């Protein structure tokens, strides 16, 4: 069969408004994978059922990697038994190209009249045989080979790279039998979705096969196959109804020792979902496989999750505290998809946030409960949201959480769909009064839609109906792009003892005002006592005034507590009240807003430093004095705190990405100026509190001496706070003597580290040292590389450290590293560790004409290998409107 005009086709834009149900659906499927080196034959028998409409049936298929060998209609399903892939087929009919079907670019179109005639003769089984070459699939979409392992990734459009099929989420089929056959010696482990029902050896033990069944209907994007030489750790979980579930996590042999934390996290996830939402796992097996070459973080394939090794492997020698947190969170995320994504899935890809936004929210809540500090988790999530998603909202890539159109769905796995989508879900919980109201909505959602493919509107209706609340206006969040702004003004009437808070919203909504929950508390201006606890104000008009009565004295408002909505909060007064901000930084009873107030003070000082660095260094401004006062108080309090992480975050300056996002609101982003001003403020703080920082550092060091490595909240917090102190102390480097002292401290920190967290903290300081400290830097980085001994995850960190360095010649160093024997563009993790970190994590070095030219050159090399990876990395070059004309022109060229 020949596909006509494949080279002349242009991408087609797909619109949400054009959604149509399939005329036929596949209700059941049998598949057989015959794996040989250099060729895999895939046979499929599909039960076709009439659905809605009388159009031809379009099967998706990528002709660049799928070769059609046979196409039939028949009466019975194949047994998929040993050595017999077509037995019991009954009457068959070989379809004729041109008469019965047409092959088009990306499609196989079955004619309606052929299907109807065949159905009249009892032939409702569509049988296909195709040939694919996984070894040549560098795009890592569909079935491909990663090292010595065959695996698959089908979301969003990968199944069409395996065979011809209605590859869309609203076709939910039962994968009744999936048979996998391969060399027994080379691929002793054969896995697919669901439960294994048959296994045997053949050809005198040289080959073997396994047959899997999944009783629950699922879309093709959740299909998975794995064949490899793997080892595993095993576990067991007893569900709340008393069933035993076998748990198994697979990896290559050398990584098995790093799987225990993932297993522990999986059990916690299963228990948490039962306790919080009453959701029980539904199969007898739950398998996870770690894969080195993977475009995404992980994939929630039903009963067979596939994970990027970066999000499942963890040991003190290779993983930081942040890595451990990610492993726990991502394990939870993929498990939670079993209900929010698998049992109830998306009608079409425009509804992606229905499963991803909801599941991100669920994993955030899970992680917050596990670390026993919702304020810490909220700070981390909002920092990420502002650094990535707010930036996306302000870019040419700005889109609603439910897009109206797309050309390639692979490009819409964005921070907006995921992170902002999670914020929209969080607003449901806030508006509905908390966990109880949200749980009622979730229960009704599953009651109505279990086993179906649905829309965001179906979820909203369940939330509204379960709580008898009108959420029709809230629907506007799904169609509004950009970050809304809420402006506030206040007034205290002493005579009436009333406090008025006026809120005014502006957004890109084309349908009218948004429904925005604003959580507010009021603190007595004199005593700091909370006189009005957290209250949710529902802003539904463009401008509303809310009045609080019976207030005996002036108050300071704490607005947008817990970051109750993904908006920018702005004081209507040109002269922001820094004394009030300092008051909140010291006394706010809301952990998030207390941190937020401190960040505002730091930001104000940094932006002032950008105007006149010398003046700030010579004579501290009023703002700087407030910063120093707040910093000193927080540092002193940290000596007695029980929540070290909150103290660490309170002492940490806003990062460059956050500062850039704020700077863009008033003018072009100036990355080099941001870095210089931030460094100035950081050094001034460090010089002022050098002895106090050293005291806290030594106090924490002494408290940790002799203790074994653990990842409980207190231990993580101690390391976090100690490393913040180290960072400040090493920033004092104006003289050779100071540089040598910083190098000595960070080198000692590195050598005495009990885990990767402290090693990375020391190396992050050392990697930017120059002059007399350069020798210590080079020695530490060389030792780190040698100690890695080829470990992929540690080597990724080695590349990232150098890509994020603040050395003046960092671009030349990154260019040189692209020729390093351990660097490859074929592995997404390795590619991101160097190129991605340099472009997104080192803005002062990247945002130059030479930086842009370098990335563009690398993208040309990546695109033929892995278009998905190059597309995501290219996002670093689309923000030209936010920079000055010189940078903008260089970015566009």
């Amino acid at each position: 069969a020949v596909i006509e005009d494949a080279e002349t086709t242009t991408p087609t834009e797909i619109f949400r408004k054009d959604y149509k149900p399939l005329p036929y659906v596949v209700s059941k499927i049998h598949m057989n994978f015959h794996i040989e080196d250099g060729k895999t034959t895939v046979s499929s028998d599909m039960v076709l059922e009439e659905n809605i409409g009388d159009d031809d049936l379009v099967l998706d298929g990528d002709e660049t990697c799928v070769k059609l060998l046979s196409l039939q209609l028949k009466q019975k399903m194949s047994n998929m038994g040993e050595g017999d892939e077509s037995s019991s087929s009954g009457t068959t009919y070989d379809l004729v190209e041109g008469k019965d079907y047409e092959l088009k670019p990306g499609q196989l179109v079955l004619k309606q009249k052929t299907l109807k005639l065949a159905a009249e003769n009892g032939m409702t089984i569509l049988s296909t045989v195709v040939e694919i070459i996984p070894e040549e699939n560098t795009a890592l979409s569909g079935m491909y080979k990663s090292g010595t392992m065959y695996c698959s990734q089908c979301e969003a459009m990968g199944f069409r790279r395996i065979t011809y099929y209605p590859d869309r989420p609203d076709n939910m089929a039962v994968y009744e039998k999936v048979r996998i056959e391969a060399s027994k010696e080379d691929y002793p482990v054969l896995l697919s979705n669901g439960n294994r029902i048959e296994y045997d050896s053949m050809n005198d033990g040289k080959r073997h096969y396994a047959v899997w069944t999944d009783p629950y209907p699922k879309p093709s994007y959740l299909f998975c196959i794995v064949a490899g030489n793997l080892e595993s750790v095993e576990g067991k979980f007893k569900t709340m109804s008393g069933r035993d579930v076998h748990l198994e996590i697979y990896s290559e042999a050398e990584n098995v020792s790093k799987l225990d934390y993932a297993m522990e996290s999986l059990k916690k996830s299963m228990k948490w979902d039962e306790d919080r939402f009453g959701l029980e796992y539904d199969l007898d097996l739950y398998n996870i496989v770690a894969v080195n070459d993977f475009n995404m973080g992980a994939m929630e394939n039903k009963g067979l999750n596939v994970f990027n090794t970066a999000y499942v492997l963890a040991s003190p020698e290779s993983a930081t505290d942040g890595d451990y947190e990610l492993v726990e969170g991502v394990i939870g995320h993929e498990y939670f998809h079993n209900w929010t994504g698998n049992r109830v899935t998306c009608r079409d890809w425009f509804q992606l946030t229905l499963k991803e936004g909801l599941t991100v929210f669920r994993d955030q809540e899970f992680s917050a409960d596990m670390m026993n500090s919702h304020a810490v988790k909220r700070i981390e999530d909002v920092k990420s949201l502002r650094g990535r998603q707010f930036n996306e909202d302000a870019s040419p890539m700005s889109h609603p959480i439910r897009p109206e159109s797309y050309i390639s769905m692979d490009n819409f796995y964005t921070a907006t769909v995921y992170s902002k989508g999670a914020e929209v879900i969080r607003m449901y919980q806030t508006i509905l009064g908390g966990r109880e109201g949200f749980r009622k909505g979730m229960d009704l959602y599953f009651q109505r839609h279990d086993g179906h493919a649905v829309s965001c509107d179906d979820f909203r209706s369940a939330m509204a109906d379960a709580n008898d609340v009108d959420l029709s206006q809230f629907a506007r969040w799904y169609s509004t792009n950009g970050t809304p702004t809420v402006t506030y003004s206040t007034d205290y009437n002493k005579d009436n003892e009333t406090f008025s808070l006026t809120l005014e919203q502006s957004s890109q909504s084309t349908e009218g005002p948004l429904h925005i929950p604003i959580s507010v508390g009021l603190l007595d201006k004199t005593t700091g006592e909370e006189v009005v606890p957290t209250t949710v104000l529902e802003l539904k008009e463009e401008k509303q005034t809310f009045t609080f009565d019976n207030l005996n004295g002036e108050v300071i408002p704490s607005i947008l507590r817990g970051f109750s909505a993904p908006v920018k909060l702005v004081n209507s007064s040109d002269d922001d009240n820094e004394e009030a901000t300092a008051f909140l930084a010291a006394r706010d009873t809301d952990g998030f807003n207390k941190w937020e107030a401190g960040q505002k003070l730091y930001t104000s000082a940094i932006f002032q430093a950008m105007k006149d660095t010398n003046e700030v260094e010579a004579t501290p401004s009023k703002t700087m004095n407030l910063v120093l006062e707040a910093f000193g108080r927080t540092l002193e309090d940290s000596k007695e705190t029980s929540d070290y992480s909150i103290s660490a975050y309170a002492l940490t300056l806003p990062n460059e990405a956050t500062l850039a996002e704020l700077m863009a609101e008033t003018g072009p982003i100036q990355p080099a100026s941001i870095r210089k001003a931030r460094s100035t403020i950081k050094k001034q703080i460090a010089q002022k509190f050098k002895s106090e920082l050293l005291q806290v550092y030594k106090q924490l060091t002494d408290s940790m001496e002799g203790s074994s490595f653990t990842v409980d909240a207190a231990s993580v917090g101690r390391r976090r706070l100690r490393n913040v102190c180290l960072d400040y102390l090493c920033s004092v480097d104006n003289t050779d003597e100071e540089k040598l002292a910083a190098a000595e401290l960070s080198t000692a920190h590195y050598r005495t580290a009990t885990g990767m967290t402290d090693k990375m903290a020391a190396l992050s300081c050392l990697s930017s040292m120059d002059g007399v400290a350069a020798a210590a830097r080079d020695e530490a980085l060389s030792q780190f590389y040698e100690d890695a001994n080829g470990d992929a995850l540690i080597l990724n960190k080695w590349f990232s450290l150098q890509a994020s360095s603040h050395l003046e010649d960092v671009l030349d160093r990154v260019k040189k590293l692209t020729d390093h024997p351990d660097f490859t563009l074929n592995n997404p993790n390795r590619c991101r560790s160097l190129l991605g970190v340099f472009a997104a994590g080192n803005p002062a070095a990247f945002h130059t004409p030479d930086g842009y030219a370098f990335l563009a050159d690398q993208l040309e090399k990546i695109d033929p290998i892995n278009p998905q990876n190059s597309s995501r990395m290219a996002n670093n070059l689309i923000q030209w409107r936010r920079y000055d004309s010189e940078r903008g022109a260089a970015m566009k060229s």
Side-chain angles (χ1 to χ4, degrees):
V2 177
I3 306 225
E4 299 291 338
D5 299 323
E7 295 183 1
T8 61
T9 59
T10 56
T12 302
E13 188 170 8
I14 300 170
F15 293 88
R16 184 171 71 92
K17 63 181 177 60
D18 294 336
Y19 170 82
K20 288 180 64 175
L22 286 161
Y24 288 82
V25 294
V26 176
S27 61
K28 186 192 303 181
I29 182 170
H30 289 185
M31 300 187 76
N32 187 81
F33 288 80
H34 187 89
I35 300 173
E36 297 178 292
D37 289 340
K39 180 182 70 173
T40 295
T41 305
V42 184
S43 307
S44 305
D45 280 3
M46 298 166 266
V47 177
L48 297 181
E49 292 185 0
E50 286 193 55
N51 191 34
I52 298 173
D54 55 3
D55 295 333
D56 294 339
L57 174 60
V58 176
L59 303 183
D60 302 293
D62 187 339
E63 68 282 355
T64 66
C65 52
V66 176
K67 180 180 178 182
L68 182 64
L69 302 180
S70 171
L71 185 64
Q72 295 180 323
L73 282 165
K74 55 189 186 181
Q75 290 180 322
K76 296 181 180 179
M77 300 280 277
S78 299
N79 286 336
M80 298 297 177
E82 179 184 344
D84 186 358
E85 299 173 12
S86 58
S87 60
S88 303
S89 60
T91 303
T92 64
Y93 170 65
D94 293 315
L95 276 70
V96 178
E97 186 175 4
K99 175 187 174 186
D100 301 311
Y101 73 93
E102 293 181 45
L103 278 174
K104 298 180 179 181
Q107 296 180 340
L108 189 159
V109 182
L110 290 163
K111 297 189 176 180
Q112 171 79 215
K113 62 181 181 181
T114 297
L115 295 175
K116 283 190 174 294
L117 183 60
E120 290 172 2
N121 289 279
M123 291 185 287
T124 59
I125 311 301
L126 178 66
S127 179
T128 64
V129 181
V130 304
E131 183 180 289
I132 58 177
I133 307 176
E135 293 83 353
E136 296 180 359
N137 182 2
T138 62
L140 312 184
S141 174
M143 184 177 173
Y144 62 93
K145 198 168 188 183
S146 172
T148 60
M149 179 198 324
Y150 290 98
C151 58
S152 64
Q153 168 58 30
C154 292
E155 187 176 0
M157 300 182 292
F159 197 77
R160 66 193 64 190
R161 295 171 61 85
I162 295 176
T163 190
Y164 285 97
Y165 190 82
D167 189 16
R168 42 189 277 179
D170 60 344
N171 192 140
M172 299 182 71
V174 173
Y175 286 67
E176 190 175 58
K177 287 186 179 181
V178 175
R179 181 181 183 275
I180 310 164
E181 180 190 323
S183 163
K184 187 173 183 178
E185 180 181 2
D186 297 331
Y187 312 106
V189 174
L190 306 175
L191 304 172
S192 191
N193 309 87
N195 300 317
R196 194 176 79 172
I197 57 172
E198 187 177 343
Y199 172 82
D200 206 349
S201 297
M202 52 195 300
N203 289 10
D204 297 324
K206 293 180 180 179
R207 293 180 68 80
H208 66 151
Y209 74 93
V211 180
W212 293 78
T213 185
D214 183 358
Y216 294 97
K218 65 173 178 283
S220 53
Y221 80 83
L222 290 172
F223 173 79
C224 187
I225 179 175
V226 171
N229 189 353
L230 306 169
E231 294 188 11
S232 65
V233 296
E234 299 181 15
K236 184 181 288 186
F237 180 80
K238 187 177 288 293
T239 69
M240 58 186 181
S241 66
R243 289 188 306 107
D244 286 329
V245 180
H246 179 79
L247 312 176
E248 198 156 359
I249 305 179
Y250 295 85
S251 73
E252 291 166 328
E254 64 269 22
N255 291 325
V256 170
S257 62
K258 302 175 185 175
L259 296 175
D260 290 338
Y261 191 74
M263 179 63 77
E264 181 184 337
S265 299
L266 176 58
K267 293 176 182 178
K268 288 180 180 178
S269 303
M270 299 176 83
K271 182 67 168 64
W272 182 87
D273 216 15
E274 289 184 346
D275 293 344
R276 178 75 181 269
F277 290 105
L279 299 175
E280 180 178 342
Y281 186 61
D282 48 9
L283 291 170
D284 300 328
L285 297 175
Y286 193 94
N287 291 324
I288 293 174
V289 178
V291 178
N292 283 320
D293 302 299
F294 203 66
N295 279 331
M296 296 186 173
M299 181 62 212
E300 69 268 20
N301 313 302
K302 180 75 177 184
L304 178 55
N305 291 180
V306 174
F307 270 67
N308 187 319
T309 51
Y311 299 106
V312 70
L313 304 181
S315 70
E317 296 76 26
S318 66
T320 64
D321 293 334
D323 293 332
Y324 274 100
E325 186 178 329
L326 280 171
V327 167
E328 183 179 76
V330 178
I331 288 280
H333 180 96
E334 304 309 328
Y335 174 75
F336 301 146
H337 265 312
N338 186 59
W339 281 90
T340 52
N342 297 4
R343 289 284 289 259
V344 183
T345 194
C346 309
R347 185 196 71 179
D348 53 62
W349 287 121
F350 298 102
Q351 320 295 329
L352 179 61
T353 197
L354 172 68
K355 74 180 186 77
E356 294 301 346
L358 175 55
T359 306
V360 168
F361 168 74
R362 275 157 46 75
D363 82 53
Q364 289 174 349
E365 291 286 279
F366 164 67
S367 294
D369 285 347
M370 292 303 101
M371 67 174 61
N372 199 29
S373 178
H374 281 252
V376 169
K377 180 59 178 168
R378 196 68 187 123
I379 289 167
E380 293 174 352
D381 291 337
V382 173
K383 284 173 65 178
S384 175
L385 181 81
R386 287 171 171 164
R388 294 183 60 226
Q389 195 281 319
F390 278 24
N391 182 281
E392 194 169 271
D393 261 347
S395 78
M397 270 289 289
S398 178
H399 55 277
I401 63 170
R402 183 182 60 194
E404 294 301 320
S405 69
Y406 64 81
I407 293 176
S408 174
M409 190 56 218
D410 286 335
N411 293 334
F412 269 109
Y413 285 77
T414 63
T416 297
V417 168
Y418 279 66
S419 300
K420 187 175 181 178
E423 295 300 314
V424 169
I425 298 297
R426 186 176 297 276
M427 286 191 288
Y428 279 112
Q429 179 166 281
T430 302
I431 290 170
L432 298 176
R435 292 185 175 188
E436 184 178 349
F438 188 78
R439 170 67 186 271
K440 286 168 62 179
M442 289 284 281
D443 288 348
L444 183 59
Y445 176 63
F446 292 123
Q447 179 185 325
R448 285 178 173 177
H449 303 299
D450 185 16
H452 294 91
V454 299
S455 70
C456 296
D457 291 333
D458 293 317
F459 180 83
R460 180 174 53 84
S461 294
M463 287 287 154
D465 294 348
N467 291 277
D468 194 23
V469 173
D470 181 4
L471 293 174
S472 55
Q473 185 177 344
F474 190 79
R476 296 170 187 172
W477 278 101
Y478 287 94
S479 55
T480 301
N481 65 304
T483 305
T485 296
V486 173
T487 304
Y488 72 93
S489 61
T490 64
D491 180 65
Y492 176 70
N493 189 313
K494 184 177 180 180
D495 295 333
N496 295 333
E497 295 187 334
T498 60
F499 176 82
S500 298
L501 174 65
T502 299
L503 302 174
E504 186 173 1
Q505 63 168 289
S506 62
S507 72
Q508 297 183 42
S509 170
T510 59
E511 303 167 271
L514 299 173
H515 182 174
I516 307 176
I518 306 291
S519 294
V520 174
L522 300 181
L523 305 175
D524 186 282
K525 189 175 182 178
T526 303
T527 66
E529 179 186 353
E530 185 177 72
V531 293
V532 175
T534 301
T535 303
V536 178
L537 309 179
E538 296 189 39
L539 178 61
K540 302 174 76 171
E541 301 171 15
E542 287 189 9
K543 188 174 184 178
Q544 284 176 254
T545 297
F546 301 88
T547 301
F548 299 84
D549 300 321
N550 303 317
L551 296 174
N552 184 21
E554 291 192 57
V555 294
I556 300 292
S558 171
I559 308 172
L560 205 65
R561 285 187 153 187
F563 200 68
S564 59
V567 301
K568 295 180 179 179
L569 184 66
V570 178
N571 190 334
S572 63
S573 171
D574 293 335
D575 182 21
D576 210 346
N577 188 342
E578 290 185 344
E579 285 83 0
T581 303
F583 178 92
L584 293 173
R587 303 190 179 191
D588 202 330
T589 52
D590 181 82
F592 176 85
N593 269 21
K594 186 174 184 177
W595 167 81
E596 176 87 315
Q599 294 295 292
K600 288 180 179 178
L601 285 178
Y602 290 143
T603 299
S604 182
I606 291 168
F607 284 165
Q608 287 180 31
M610 288 182 66
K611 298 174 183 177
D612 191 339
T613 303
N614 293 327
E615 180 183 325
V616 173
E617 289 178 335
T619 307
S621 65
K622 173 185 173 184
T623 302
M624 193 63 202
N625 283 326
L626 289 171
V627 165
L628 294 173
E629 181 184 342
F631 188 95
R633 183 173 52 249
T634 303
L635 188 61
E636 182 63 29
D637 291 345
S638 72
K639 297 175 183 178
E640 306 296 333
T641 186
S642 60
D643 195 337
Y644 298 101
S645 286
I646 282 286
S647 295
Y649 284 132
L651 293 171
T652 303
L653 300 179
N655 61 32
E656 292 179 23
T658 300
L659 294 167
E661 181 63 34
L662 293 169
M663 190 176 192
E665 296 175 9
T666 57
I669 298 172
Q670 301 172 40
S673 298
I674 288 174
R675 175 165 295 175
K676 183 179 180 182
R678 186 179 185 276
S679 177
T680 296
I681 297 301
K682 184 177 179 181
K683 287 182 179 181
Q684 191 171 359
I685 292 172
Q687 288 168 334
K688 170 75 172 176
F689 296 102
K690 185 176 180 179
S691 61
E692 292 90 341
L693 285 162
L694 192 57
Q695 181 186 0
V696 172
Y697 177 84
K698 289 180 176 179
Q699 177 183 317
L700 290 165
T701 301
D702 292 342
S703 71
M704 296 163 61
E705 189 172 352
S707 60
S708 58
F709 178 87
T710 59
V711 287
D712 60 278
S715 297
V716 169
R718 285 190 191 95
R719 287 191 289 270
R720 182 172 283 143
L721 180 57
R722 179 171 174 258
N723 290 333
V724 167
C725 292
L726 175 72
D727 187 45
Y728 273 106
L729 290 166
C730 289
S731 71
V732 180
D733 60 355
N734 295 322
T735 67
D736 285 351
E737 183 181 359
E738 289 173 338
K739 287 182 178 180
L740 286 172
E744 182 180 348
L745 179 63
S746 52
T747 298
H749 192 94
Y750 176 77
R751 290 175 177 169
T752 59
T754 59
M756 184 57 71
T757 299
D758 289 342
K759 283 188 176 183
M760 287 296 289
L763 289 170
S764 293
C765 295
L766 282 162
S767 64
S768 296
M769 292 185 184
D770 58 8
V772 295
R777 174 199 70 211
D778 294 341
E779 181 182 349
L781 285 170
S782 177
Q783 187 63 54
F784 188 70
Y785 176 81
E786 292 299 323
D787 291 345
N789 195 28
D791 185 295
L793 296 183
I794 300 178
L795 287 176
N796 288 341
K797 289 177 169 63
W798 182 76
F799 280 103
S800 295
L801 282 163
Q802 296 171 88
S804 57
S805 166
H806 290 190
L807 294 173
E808 290 186 5
D809 63 345
V810 63
L811 176 56
D812 291 333
R813 292 171 179 269
V814 170
K815 287 180 179 179
K816 187 176 180 180
L817 285 169
T818 61
D819 295 324
H820 193 280
D822 286 315
F823 183 74
T824 175
L825 295 175
N826 290 326
N827 179 270
N829 285 353
R830 187 58 47 81
C831 191
R832 287 189 287 260
S833 72
L834 182 65
L835 305 180
V837 168
F838 175 71
N842 199 343
F846 169 66
H847 285 288
T848 65
D850 289 344
Y852 302 147
F854 166 70
L855 182 61
D857 178 62
Q858 295 299 312
L859 290 175
E860 286 187 11
K861 298 175 183 178
I862 300 169
D863 198 55
I865 300 169
N866 191 330
Q868 196 174 139
N869 196 24
S870 68
S871 174
R872 289 174 182 171
M873 211 167 290
N875 285 336
N876 294 291
L877 292 171
I878 64 173
Q879 301 270 0
W880 57 269
R881 289 188 180 90
R882 310 185 81 195
Y883 295 84
D884 58 63
S885 57
E886 181 181 353
R887 286 191 176 93
M891 220 180 283
K892 287 188 288 182
S893 65

